[in-house]
Structure formats: C-alpha cells, structure tokens
Amino acid sequence: MSSSLKTLGIERLTVEERISLAEEIWDSLAEATPLTEARRLELDRRLEDHESNPDDVVPWETVKASIATRLER
C-alpha cells in the first residue's frame, strides 16, 4: 500500500468504505470538470441515437473478443 494511503488512514477502511470513497472522489472530479457545450451536444446526440435504435447494440463479450483479436496481431 502506498505511503499516501497510510498517511491518510485509508488502509484502515473496509473494502466497502474504500469503494464508497473512490465513488465520492470520482463524483467530485465530475463536478470540478464542467461539461462543455460541445460535449453536452455529443452526449445528447448519442442518447437520441440510442433511443431511436435501442436494438443497435453490440454485446460486451463481442466487443471484448474483437479487442483481444486486434491486440493479438
């Protein structure tokens, strides 16, 4: 465990408490990084596309296998 975790006392937390802390830190980063107009528009576009074509998806296992195949080249 890194010395900063020990300094902060994080090593004394349970796994569940560490996960909760990590989630809180992650959420705080989202708050500290405002969404630009361009990103908001892109997210809106993607959501609209998904809602218009809910069956146009690729299962995770297929994506994972495709990535593994590409990495093997």
Side-chain angles (χ1 to χ4, degrees):
M1 190 162 297
S2 74
S3 61
S4 60
L5 294 180
K6 288 181 181 179
T7 302
L8 295 170
I10 294 173
E11 86 283 358
R12 293 188 305 255
L13 299 175
T14 66
V15 171
E16 292 80 15
E17 290 169 328
R18 290 181 202 183
I19 291 170
S20 179
L21 177 59
E23 289 172 344
E24 288 184 45
I25 291 170
W26 186 258
D27 290 344
S28 75
L29 292 172
E31 293 168 6
T33 309
L35 191 61
T36 65
E37 182 66 13
R39 287 181 179 162
R40 188 189 63 73
L41 290 171
E42 177 62 14
L43 289 171
D44 288 344
R45 183 195 67 76
R46 291 180 186 198
L47 181 59
E48 183 179 323
D49 181 56
H50 172 67
E51 289 171 344
S52 298
N53 307 289
D55 296 325
D56 188 16
V57 297
V58 179
W60 168 241
E61 290 304 319
T62 303
V63 173
K64 195 164 108 175
S66 174
I67 292 169
T69 300
R70 290 182 194 178
L71 292 175
E72 289 174 0
R73 292 183 193 169

